[in-house]
């Protein structure tokens, strides 16, 4: 394993337990997302791995070496924050070269490495500009290049795209995935954006209240959630009594068939190829269905229309046991 976290607990002065007895193994060369709501402990765990926070209990290893008491600058980690932390008085080239210069690498080596990274992050034509002359997405790519310049053992990203607008975030996460496939450095990404985690990561670790709820491949978490929290946090979901239903598992019909419930179309939201249909059941509960444009046209859906719904698959949790899917 590239990173091993063993029974780590981190408390703060006010008594708040940010990370509670967490153990996590991250494979070499993987891209792992720490996903969870604000206050779930994901950023604190990342800072413990980086050495920016010292755990009260437990230990951290990187490439088999116990680094629990090792300062951040000697751990071989690259760290990228949400806010770019660029040196405003330095050009893009000099920002990227900074870590190499303070390590007193030969000038020819520094120039060659920076030229390589400028190409890798698609900033070839921006080497002599200053951070203020770049877009937010370009500044974040510069920050990633600076972190990669010293060839870190692991790359740690704390909400790196959080300050950017939705379109740029989507473009950058696709770029990050391509970059990772090129450099293969072990990467840990902190995010509260479920779509970002599912889109970019090889594995996703879902955190809540300082603990790990579930770790696994994105598809496994979506299709086989371990508990109600994971079910509700990883992807949209409806809840009807004890049953949890994904919007794409809610069928819409024009006529009842004995297994359906009556519903009124409250709102139709077009999201490109997909359409979200927001419905009010006859008992007042709100649910949503995910359908295609062709299905909307076939059903001739209109706001205020009465139709009938039936779940094609439900998930029911029993205590702390794994969920049972029901067709």
């Amino acid at each position: 394993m590239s990173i091993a976290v063993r029974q780590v607990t981190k408390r703060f002065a006010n008594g708040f337990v940010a990370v509670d007895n967490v153990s996590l193994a991250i494979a070499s060369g993987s891209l792992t997302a720490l996903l969870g709501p604000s206050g779930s402990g994901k950023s604190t765990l990342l800072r413990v791995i980086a050495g920016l926070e010292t755990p009260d209990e437990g230990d951290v290893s990187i490439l088999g070496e116990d680094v629990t008491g090792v300062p951040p600058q000697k751990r071989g980690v690259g760290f990228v924050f949400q806010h770019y932390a660029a040196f405003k008085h330095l050009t893009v080239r000099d920002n990227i070269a900074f870590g190499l210069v303070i390590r007193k690498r030969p000038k020819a080596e520094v120039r060659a490495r920076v030229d390589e990274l400028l190409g890798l992050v698609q900033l070839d034509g921006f080497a002599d500009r200053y951070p203020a002359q770049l877009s937010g997405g370009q500044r974040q790519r510069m920050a990633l290049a600076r972190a990669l310049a010293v060839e870190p053992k692991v790359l740690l990203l704390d909400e790196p795209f959080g300050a950017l607008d939705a379109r740029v975030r989507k473009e950058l996460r696709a770029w990050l995935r391509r970059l990772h496939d090129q450099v293969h450095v072990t990467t840990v990404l902190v995010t509260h954006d479920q779509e970002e985690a599912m889109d970019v990561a090889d594995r996703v670790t879902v955190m809540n209240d300082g603990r790990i709820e579930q770790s696994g491949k994105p598809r496994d978490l979506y299709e086989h959630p371990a508990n109600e929290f994971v079910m509700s946090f990883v992807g949209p979901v409806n809840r009807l009594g004890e049953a949890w239903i994904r919007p794409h598992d809610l069928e819409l019909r024009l006529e009842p068939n004995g297994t359906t419930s009556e519903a009124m179309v409250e709102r139709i939201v077009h999201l490109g190829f997909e359409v979200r249909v927001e419905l009010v059941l006859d008992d007042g509960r709100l649910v949503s269905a995910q359908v295609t444009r062709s299905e909307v046209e076939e059903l001739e859906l209109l706001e205020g229309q009465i139709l009938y719904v039936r779940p094609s698959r439900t998930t029911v949790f029993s205590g702390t046991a794994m969920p049972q899917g029901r067709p």
Side-chain angles (χ1 to χ4, degrees), residues 32-103:
T32 297
L34 300 180
L35 173 67
S38 297
S40 62
K42 57 190 187 297
S43 288
T44 301
L45 178 58
L46 194 78
R47 292 174 64 85
V48 167
I49 294 170
L52 300 173
E53 298 286 355
T54 302
D56 296 291
E57 299 168 22
D59 59 80
V60 177
S61 295
I62 295 177
L63 296 180
E65 177 188 355
D66 187 342
V67 296
T68 310
V70 176
Q73 63 271 23
K74 294 185 178 180
R75 291 195 181 195
V77 301
F79 205 109
V80 178
F81 299 90
Q82 176 176 336
H83 298 288
Y84 324 105
F87 298 109
K88 298 178 182 179
H89 64 290
L90 297 181
T91 64
V92 170
R93 174 178 291 281
D94 292 338
N95 262 282
I96 295 172
F98 183 79
L100 297 170
V101 171
I102 64 172
R103 287 168 174 79

Side-chain angles (χ1 to χ4, degrees), residues 8-12 15-23 34-45 205-214 227-230 232-233:
V8 161
T9 295
K10 176 61 185 177
R11 304 180 187 90
F12 288 103
F16 175 69
V17 181
V19 178
D20 188 3
N21 194 32
V22 164
S23 295
L34 300 180
L35 173 67
S38 297
S40 62
K42 57 190 187 297
S43 288
T44 301
L45 178 58
T205 293
V206 180
M207 295 190 67
N208 183 39
D209 290 336
R211 294 176 176 266
I212 292 176
E213 298 284 352
Q214 187 176 358
N227 53 42
E228 293 182 355
F229 179 81
V230 178
S232 63
F233 198 78

Side-chain angles (χ1 to χ4, degrees), residues 257-310:
N257 68 357
T259 63
T260 55
S261 299
E262 185 176 284
M264 183 187 75
V265 178
E266 183 174 67
R267 188 167 177 246
I268 301 171
V269 183
H270 291 267
L271 303 167
F273 176 75
E274 296 177 348
V275 180
R276 185 175 72 241
V277 182
E278 298 175 0
L279 304 144
V280 183
L281 299 179
D282 54 6
D283 61 4
R285 288 178 295 178
L286 303 177
V287 296
S288 65
Q290 180 180 312
V291 297
T292 64
R293 287 183 299 176
S294 59
E295 289 177 283
V296 171
E297 292 169 1
E298 182 181 344
L299 294 167
E300 298 181 342
L301 292 185
L302 297 170
E303 292 181 4
Q305 179 181 355
I306 300 298
L307 39 76
Y308 302 88
V309 300
R310 172 188 175 275

